[in-house]
Amino acid sequence: MYVETDQQQVTGHSAHGKNVVNGLRKEGEIERPAIKTLSKEHDHVLKTFRLLIADLCQQFNGGHPGGAIGMAAIGVALWKYVMRYAPYRPDYFNRDRFVLSNGHTCLFQYTFLHLTGYKAMTLDQLKSYHSDRVDALCPGHPEIEHEGIEVTTGPLGQGVANAIGLAMATKNLQAMYNKPDFDVVSNHTWCMVGDACLQEGVALEAISFAGHLKLNNLTIIYDNNQITCDGSVDLTNTEDVNAKMRACGWDVIDIEDGCFDVEGIVQALNRARQSSEKPTFINVRTIIGLGSAVAGDAVAHGQAFGPADVVNMKKLYSFNPGESFVISSDVRRFFEDIPARGQELVNAWEKKVDDYEAKYPGLGAEFRRRVRGELHETWKDLIPTTFPAKPTATRASSGIVFNPIAKEINSFVVGTADLSPSVNMIWKGKVDFQHPDLKTTCGITGNYGGRYIHYGVREHAMCAISNGLAAFAPNTFVPVTSSFFMFYLYAAPAVRMGALQHLQIIHAATHDSIGMGEDGPTHQPIELAALYRAMPNLLYIRPGDSEETAGAWIAAIEAKKTSSIISTSRQALPQLAQTRRDGVAKGAYVLEEAEDADVTLIGVGAELSFALEVAKELKEKNDVRARVISFPCQRLFESQSLEYKRDTLRKHKGIPAVVIEPYAPNGWERYANAAICVKRFGHSLPGKAAYKYFGFEISVMTAKIGGYLDQTREDPILRQEFVEL
Amino acid sequence: MYVETDQQQVTGHSAHGKNVVNGLRKEGEIERPAIKTLSKEHDHVLKTFRLLIADLCQQFNGGHPGGAIGMAAIGVALWKYVMRYAPYRPDYFNRDRFVLSNGHTCLFQYTFLHLTGYKAMTLDQLKSYHSDRVDALCPGHPEIEHEGIEVTTGPLGQGVANAIGLAMATKNLQAMYNKPDFDVVSNHTWCMVGDACLQEGVALEAISFAGHLKLNNLTIIYDNNQITCDGSVDLTNTEDVNAKMRACGWDVIDIEDGCFDVEGIVQALNRARQSSEKPTFINVRTIIGLGSAVAGDAVAHGQAFGPADVVNMKKLYSFNPGESFVISSDVRRFFEDIPARGQELVNAWEKKVDDYEAKYPGLGAEFRRRVRGELHETWKDLIPTTFPAKPTATRASSGIVFNPIAKEINSFVVGTADLSPSVNMIWKGKVDFQHPDLKTTCGITGNYGGRYIHYGVREHAMCAISNGLAAFAPNTFVPVTSSFFMFYLYAAPAVRMGALQHLQIIHAATHDSIGMGEDGPTHQPIELAALYRAMPNLLYIRPGDSEETAGAWIAAIEAKKTSSIISTSRQALPQLAQTRRDGVAKGAYVLEEAEDADVTLIGVGAELSFALEVAKELKEKNDVRARVISFPCQRLFESQSLEYKRDTLRKHKGIPAVVIEPYAPNGWERYANAAICVKRFGHSLPGKAAYKYFGFEISVMTAKIGGYLDQTREDPILRQEFVEL
């Protein structure tokens, strides 16, 4: 317990016995730091910080004050004493990364960015929190676009996985580039989490994986205030979190007086940085909303304290109750050395890299290229220009197209959520990303320089970790994930966060239609494309054969600020003579033109060849002239000129269009007048039988389309509506 | 280790040292059962079972043989000795529930259903696995529609959470209906999991929660074969799973020789059933694909062994290599008493319920009603017919509408993922579902009879657990979940599984538009509606005011075989004179008609009033006559007659329609010609400012629509396309 001394006056409910500590901890289990006294200087800085948070929330009467206030001492320890960073060079490559997984406490980070001298984060900007200023740097959760922010966290739990990705990025770069005399990469990743983050599945997946990988360059700092929105954490969670973390392969350090014990926290953080073989979990007991009337209570979490309470806090802290946003010159002085210290780090690192390049010119140039986020220009030449004529699953095509690139270009790190045999992403000679000492039962080993990642059956963590890898520095890594398409619903919150952050992540998703077969409706992604076609800044691409798969990978690799899903088939697909990779780049293109066409058939991905076959049969059996377009990506098509779009679709010429895709048709109404589609969940049958069951036989489709065209002649209104055939 | 005796011949790779055991376990840590001998009878049954699995996969050269074979002894222990069930009365209310979370091993369950006498599961049906028979009872993952299957598991990890829901259902019914002399509900829930399930976040969330709740009526049986698709589990997971489970509040029992030790497994299962205060985790070491040439190897997981290997297995087991699907009369005899035993359970239970009803007529009648899955007919009368005139957030309306029902009708169990203060789902006098001994720091307690569930920050588990609650028996429970709409992306895989299983689950989702404000783009669900509007058997309903919120809840409660999302606003919305609850039932309806209309405005949910205001301003400023329709639910509208749809939309009268909704417009193209929408991620601003930022001001929208109508007159092609304004 914190003990008062006559050096200063301590306020807050811990002194009054209201400190809520983890109900599960047993006496004697805690590694107690020696009792600390709080220096006058620290006391003043902490009080200033807490009042700033209270004022910032009070001004617009909203926001999340409690957590940030509780974490004040942790912040001082991190930003003043432990973290290596450069406020005037926020993009310093070898900086420590800080991730705020409990992102709603963003004022914690914003305020320290301001105090430590980040230029963009002026006091004026700091005060934009919850304002209607549209260019504010203080959104409700930290956003990667802004100076000093490493990742956009947002929904709880994501940040934990992001931090693990950042730490993996460091490990990989170290293994590839560091030399005994040159540690050009040596940074540490710090991740702040709240009680909630540790309940979310994505974090639990990632924690287990980080323990497996023995990421000793990663520290999670747990703001253990035992409060969430609904009340005390023991309402929903009474596990022994320390024992759980140890079981997952983490070192655990306890801090008892997390609101005051700056020195103890500094010691713990430094010990964590020096950990030789495990990631570290620092369990810091804090009091939410310390100093306010609602300290230790759930209401301190998500609302301003109210003017009276803020005034009382100021009185308690011997501040002028009439003043707000007070930062004394003492406080300014406390932080003022930080930019210069940061610049020294930058200068030393730049000199080191210069010397490194002089000694290891090849590696040095390569390292510089990675720092700049550039790919070898030759990447596109590695893609085959011709493919075997035999029918080929597009998941296999993905491997044919991409594996030569993955092999040669070390920006790519390729992972799978335990579907290596299905996704075809293994290149010859691939080395796994693993702790070098690991000896697996199945005889596969690896090292941190490996670029193939077995994520385990952890789809959500895979994608959230990939966001961390990509966020390390712009395009230094291009993470590739792989799994069944259906399981990208598990990963959807992380896929979304990648797209939202403008991160280039490529998701290789196979088994993307009812053709995936026997696994049944739980694995057949009927409605999932509707999500990803609607998701901003994401290319959802369904290639129809090997050539289009080449186009899909080219589009994804060229989209340096956009995420992609390359959505492929389990089953073999015919290689089509008419497909073109540059057609894929436009999203849709004409595959077969027809004079005076009666109908446009839209073919997509695994079912593209159906459109060609139906067109043939429509001609032969119904004397209907059908043109065929291939439509692998709606978003790429939307970015084309109006002229191109009209020329391709020809709806403006009065030609009705019918799309063929065994998904819910939502979204195709923009391009088609009718759909041969699936509007219920799937059915467990072998692939071919599943197509038949849902009416995707050439003769059945031909008859349906023929009938539809007859109907529209009788009832022209149908042409203005959307018909499911 | 298993030890051979001269009683029988044991085959399988454990005898050859290939048994892969959890690499982490330390010697001495394992609670070793006494060395067991295997009776001739069991040996014969186990061999028969393993060969059946090998044959069933071999016939169509596919499927998942290895896991099912490894679990054979577990199955014998469960179905022959431990589980209480009735093959001829698969719906026996008080039966033990069995959940196969590792659902790809479905042949395990199907084969035991056949052997124990489930009538539908004939040998012929059993052989339908991987066939093209469309009425097969053996899909690639178990499906709830079929006799003897409790839940559709499918994607890994879900089943763990489902099982926890089933166990909670039992606890709740026991607390509400059991009397000291009448335990009308006394069943146990058994959940089989593989290595993968224990890596998935949804399972980890649920495991932590089950430990908190002390569900001693729940047992997880871990098929610990240390193999997943990619190889040995230690490639990705080296945690100490037993220590982790203990930290989460579970009892742990180890079984060393899980392929043979039927007796030890029976003892462990019985001990688990008798657990007095914790759920039990039985860690059973098995060998995947035991007896085949690929035993203990990843390739045993997901493909048939090949004809030669199957023949070899038969030779090894002294079976006739020329025969397939052999079930001897001895094996038949071994299982033949089970249906009669089951019928005795049913008879005894039915008599017990009769006697119970005689002694406790009110409670008895109520219990019968719950068993029948019926609601009190009066439920609809509990909904207010009028509402306060003041602007009201629809999340508040949700509470006004639903809380009186939740309070009175005990079929409803209402949960939240730590957003009680935001979702307004607390009724006066609500009691929490908690272990009765729990004393939380915040002073809230409860008991198992409580129907308000604090799930913690575990959205995915919340929804997957709700599936388990709903699956206990048809409509005995109607689970309600609640959170921010954005977080239903975390929960989407479970929401999907509820809809897929035709379970009535109602998801109360608030903060459903950019009006949610400051939390920013990570919390603003721009594209999420596109997913849920495309998802089969799910009603995604956005009500526009209190009256429509009443309509939404009525629709959701009446949809007894369908899941619903009621999608509400954070901010206050005006109460509109024209809204009608019976209009919501039709999905869309005319709010304001206009003679010779120039345009139809489609208003939706939180922005419905915008459409009315824009219509007014279009008339005043542009002399444009606009009709307004309210469109809360696309799926309900789709089920209306063509006539109703045309009368409502009037597209066939040549009137263009413009939808107003701050989401990605995907899917609206079916009903509208243009949209005022959002096609990028959101922005952190106060709600009103966010609307302004994205152009949702009345004057701006009016100008855009006026301009669009002018444009369409100049370029009529626009009317055939979809325009984002």
Coordinates of all heavy atoms in Angstrom, one line a residue, chain B residues 221-259:
Chain B
I221 N -14.6 -32.0 -22.6 CA -13.7 -33.2 -22.8 C -12.8 -32.8 -24.0 O -13.2 -32.6 -25.1 CB -14.5 -34.4 -23.2 CG1 -15.6 -34.7 -22.1 CG2 -13.6 -35.7 -23.3 CD1 -16.8 -35.5 -22.6
Y222 N -11.5 -32.7 -23.6 CA -10.5 -32.3 -24.6 C -9.8 -33.4 -25.3 O -9.1 -34.2 -24.7 CB -9.5 -31.4 -23.8 CG -8.2 -31.0 -24.6 CD1 -8.2 -30.8 -25.9 CD2 -7.1 -30.7 -23.8 CE1 -7.0 -30.4 -26.6 CE2 -5.9 -30.3 -24.4 CZ -5.9 -30.2 -25.8 OH -4.7 -29.8 -26.4
D223 N -10.1 -33.6 -26.6 CA -9.5 -34.6 -27.4 C -8.1 -34.1 -27.7 O -7.8 -33.5 -28.7 CB -10.3 -34.8 -28.7 CG -9.5 -35.8 -29.6 OD1 -8.9 -36.7 -29.1 OD2 -9.6 -35.5 -30.9
N224 N -7.2 -34.3 -26.8 CA -5.8 -33.8 -26.8 C -4.9 -34.7 -27.7 O -4.2 -35.5 -27.2 CB -5.3 -33.7 -25.4 CG -3.9 -33.0 -25.4 OD1 -3.2 -32.9 -26.4 ND2 -3.4 -32.7 -24.2
N225 N -5.1 -34.5 -29.0 CA -4.2 -35.4 -29.9 C -3.0 -34.5 -30.4 O -2.2 -35.1 -31.1 CB -5.0 -36.0 -31.0 CG -5.6 -35.0 -32.0 OD1 -5.1 -33.9 -32.2 ND2 -6.8 -35.3 -32.5
Q226 N -3.0 -33.3 -30.0 CA -1.8 -32.4 -30.3 C -1.5 -32.3 -31.8 O -0.4 -32.2 -32.3 CB -0.6 -32.9 -29.6 CG -0.6 -32.6 -28.1 CD -0.5 -31.1 -27.8 OE1 0.5 -30.5 -28.3 NE2 -1.4 -30.5 -27.1
I227 N -2.6 -32.4 -32.6 CA -2.5 -32.3 -34.1 C -3.5 -31.3 -34.6 O -4.7 -31.4 -34.2 CB -2.7 -33.7 -34.7 CG1 -1.5 -34.6 -34.4 CG2 -2.8 -33.5 -36.3 CD1 -0.2 -34.2 -35.0
T228 N -3.1 -30.4 -35.4 CA -4.0 -29.6 -36.3 C -3.6 -29.7 -37.7 O -2.6 -30.4 -38.0 CB -4.1 -28.2 -35.8 OG1 -2.8 -27.5 -36.0 CG2 -4.6 -28.0 -34.3
C229 N -4.2 -29.0 -38.6 CA -4.0 -29.2 -40.0 C -2.5 -29.0 -40.3 O -1.9 -29.6 -41.2 CB -4.7 -28.2 -40.8 SG -6.5 -28.4 -40.8
D230 N -1.9 -28.0 -39.7 CA -0.5 -27.6 -40.1 C 0.6 -28.5 -39.5 O 1.7 -28.4 -39.9 CB -0.2 -26.2 -39.6 CG -0.7 -25.2 -40.7 OD1 -1.5 -25.6 -41.5 OD2 -0.3 -24.0 -40.6
G231 N 0.2 -29.4 -38.5 CA 1.2 -30.2 -37.9 C 0.9 -30.4 -36.5 O -0.2 -30.3 -36.0
S232 N 2.0 -30.5 -35.7 CA 1.8 -30.7 -34.2 C 1.4 -29.4 -33.6 O 1.8 -28.3 -34.1 CB 3.1 -31.3 -33.6 OG 4.2 -30.5 -33.9
V233 N 0.6 -29.4 -32.6 CA 0.1 -28.2 -32.0 C 1.3 -27.3 -31.4 O 1.2 -26.1 -31.4 CB -0.9 -28.6 -30.9 CG1 -1.2 -27.3 -30.0 CG2 -2.1 -29.1 -31.5
D234 N 2.4 -27.9 -31.1 CA 3.5 -27.1 -30.5 C 4.1 -26.2 -31.5 O 5.0 -25.4 -31.2 CB 4.5 -28.0 -29.7 CG 5.1 -29.1 -30.6 OD1 4.8 -29.1 -31.8 OD2 5.8 -30.0 -30.0
L235 N 3.7 -26.3 -32.8 CA 4.1 -25.4 -33.8 C 3.5 -24.0 -33.5 O 4.0 -22.9 -33.9 CB 3.5 -25.9 -35.1 CG 4.0 -25.5 -36.5 CD1 5.5 -25.7 -36.6 CD2 3.3 -26.2 -37.6
T236 N 2.4 -23.9 -32.8 CA 1.7 -22.7 -32.6 C 1.2 -22.4 -31.1 O 0.8 -21.3 -30.8 CB 0.4 -22.6 -33.4 OG1 -0.5 -23.7 -33.1 CG2 0.7 -22.7 -34.9
N237 N 1.3 -23.5 -30.3 CA 0.7 -23.3 -29.0 C 1.5 -24.2 -28.0 O 1.5 -25.4 -28.2 CB -0.8 -23.8 -29.1 CG -1.6 -23.3 -27.8 OD1 -1.0 -22.6 -27.0 ND2 -2.8 -23.7 -27.7
T238 N 2.1 -23.6 -27.1 CA 2.9 -24.3 -26.1 C 2.5 -23.9 -24.7 O 3.3 -24.1 -23.8 CB 4.4 -24.1 -26.4 OG1 4.7 -22.7 -26.7 CG2 4.9 -25.0 -27.5
E239 N 1.3 -23.4 -24.6 CA 0.9 -23.0 -23.3 C 0.6 -24.2 -22.4 O 0.5 -25.3 -22.9 CB -0.4 -22.1 -23.4 CG -1.6 -22.9 -23.9 CD -2.8 -22.1 -24.3 OE1 -2.6 -20.9 -24.5 OE2 -3.9 -22.7 -24.4
D240 N 0.5 -24.0 -21.1 CA 0.1 -25.0 -20.1 C -1.4 -25.0 -20.0 O -1.9 -24.2 -19.2 CB 0.8 -24.7 -18.8 CG 0.5 -25.8 -17.8 OD1 -0.4 -26.6 -18.0 OD2 1.3 -25.9 -16.8
V241 N -2.1 -25.8 -20.8 CA -3.5 -25.6 -20.9 C -4.2 -26.0 -19.6 O -5.2 -25.3 -19.2 CB -4.1 -26.4 -22.1 CG1 -3.9 -27.9 -21.9 CG2 -5.6 -26.1 -22.3
N242 N -3.7 -26.9 -18.8 CA -4.3 -27.3 -17.6 C -4.2 -26.1 -16.6 O -5.2 -25.8 -15.9 CB -3.6 -28.5 -17.0 CG -4.1 -29.8 -17.7 OD1 -4.9 -29.8 -18.6 ND2 -3.5 -30.9 -17.3
A243 N -3.0 -25.5 -16.5 CA -2.8 -24.4 -15.6 C -3.8 -23.2 -16.0 O -4.3 -22.5 -15.2 CB -1.4 -23.9 -15.6
K244 N -3.9 -23.1 -17.3 CA -4.8 -22.0 -17.8 C -6.2 -22.2 -17.4 O -6.9 -21.3 -17.0 CB -4.6 -21.9 -19.3 CG -5.3 -20.7 -20.0 CD -4.9 -20.7 -21.5 CE -5.6 -19.7 -22.3 NZ -5.3 -19.8 -23.7
M245 N -6.7 -23.5 -17.6 CA -8.0 -23.8 -17.2 C -8.2 -23.6 -15.7 O -9.3 -23.1 -15.2 CB -8.4 -25.2 -17.6 CG -8.4 -25.5 -19.1 SD -9.6 -24.4 -20.1 CE -11.1 -25.1 -19.5
R246 N -7.3 -24.0 -14.9 CA -7.4 -23.9 -13.4 C -7.5 -22.4 -13.1 O -8.3 -22.0 -12.3 CB -6.2 -24.5 -12.7 CG -6.3 -26.0 -12.7 CD -5.3 -26.6 -11.7 NE -5.2 -28.1 -11.9 CZ -4.2 -28.6 -12.7 NH1 -3.3 -27.9 -13.2 NH2 -4.2 -29.9 -12.8
A247 N -6.6 -21.6 -13.8 CA -6.7 -20.1 -13.5 C -8.0 -19.5 -13.8 O -8.4 -18.5 -13.3 CB -5.6 -19.4 -14.3
C248 N -8.7 -20.2 -14.8 CA -10.0 -19.7 -15.2 C -11.1 -20.3 -14.3 O -12.3 -20.1 -14.6 CB -10.3 -20.1 -16.7 SG -9.4 -19.1 -17.8
G249 N -10.8 -21.0 -13.3 CA -11.8 -21.5 -12.3 C -12.4 -22.9 -12.7 O -13.5 -23.2 -12.3
W250 N -11.6 -23.7 -13.4 CA -12.1 -25.0 -13.8 C -11.3 -26.1 -13.0 O -10.1 -26.0 -12.7 CB -11.9 -25.3 -15.3 CG -12.8 -24.5 -16.2 CD1 -12.8 -23.1 -16.2 CD2 -13.7 -25.0 -17.1 NE1 -13.8 -22.8 -17.2 CE2 -14.3 -23.9 -17.7 CE3 -14.1 -26.3 -17.5 CZ2 -15.3 -24.1 -18.7 CZ3 -15.1 -26.5 -18.4 CH2 -15.7 -25.3 -19.0
D251 N -12.0 -27.2 -12.7 CA -11.3 -28.4 -12.2 C -10.7 -29.1 -13.4 O -11.3 -29.1 -14.5 CB -12.3 -29.4 -11.6 CG -12.5 -29.1 -10.1 OD1 -11.5 -28.6 -9.5 OD2 -13.6 -29.4 -9.6
V252 N -9.6 -29.7 -13.2 CA -8.9 -30.4 -14.3 C -8.7 -31.9 -14.0 O -8.2 -32.2 -12.9 CB -7.6 -29.7 -14.7 CG1 -6.8 -30.5 -15.8 CG2 -7.8 -28.3 -15.1
I253 N -9.0 -32.7 -14.9 CA -8.7 -34.2 -14.7 C -7.9 -34.6 -15.9 O -8.3 -34.3 -17.1 CB -10.0 -35.0 -14.6 CG1 -10.9 -34.5 -13.5 CG2 -9.7 -36.5 -14.5 CD1 -12.3 -35.3 -13.4
D254 N -6.9 -35.4 -15.7 CA -6.1 -35.9 -16.8 C -6.4 -37.3 -17.1 O -6.5 -38.1 -16.2 CB -4.6 -35.7 -16.5 CG -4.0 -34.4 -16.8 OD1 -4.0 -34.0 -17.9 OD2 -3.7 -33.6 -15.8
I255 N -6.4 -37.7 -18.4 CA -6.5 -39.1 -18.8 C -5.4 -39.3 -19.7 O -5.2 -38.7 -20.7 CB -7.9 -39.3 -19.5 CG1 -9.1 -39.1 -18.6 CG2 -7.9 -40.7 -20.1 CD1 -9.3 -40.2 -17.5
E256 N -4.6 -40.3 -19.3 CA -3.4 -40.5 -20.1 C -3.6 -41.4 -21.3 O -3.0 -41.1 -22.4 CB -2.4 -41.3 -19.1 CG -1.0 -41.4 -19.7 CD -0.3 -40.1 -19.9 OE1 -0.8 -39.0 -19.5 OE2 0.8 -40.1 -20.4
D257 N -4.4 -42.4 -21.2 CA -4.5 -43.4 -22.3 C -5.9 -43.3 -22.9 O -6.7 -44.2 -22.9 CB -4.2 -44.8 -21.8 CG -2.8 -45.0 -21.5 OD1 -1.9 -44.6 -22.3 OD2 -2.5 -45.5 -20.4
G258 N -6.1 -42.1 -23.5 CA -7.5 -41.8 -24.0 C -8.0 -42.7 -25.1 O -9.2 -42.7 -25.4
C259 N -7.1 -43.4 -25.7 CA -7.6 -44.3 -26.8 C -8.1 -45.6 -26.3 O -8.8 -46.3 -27.1 CB -6.5 -44.5 -27.8 SG -6.2 -43.1 -28.9

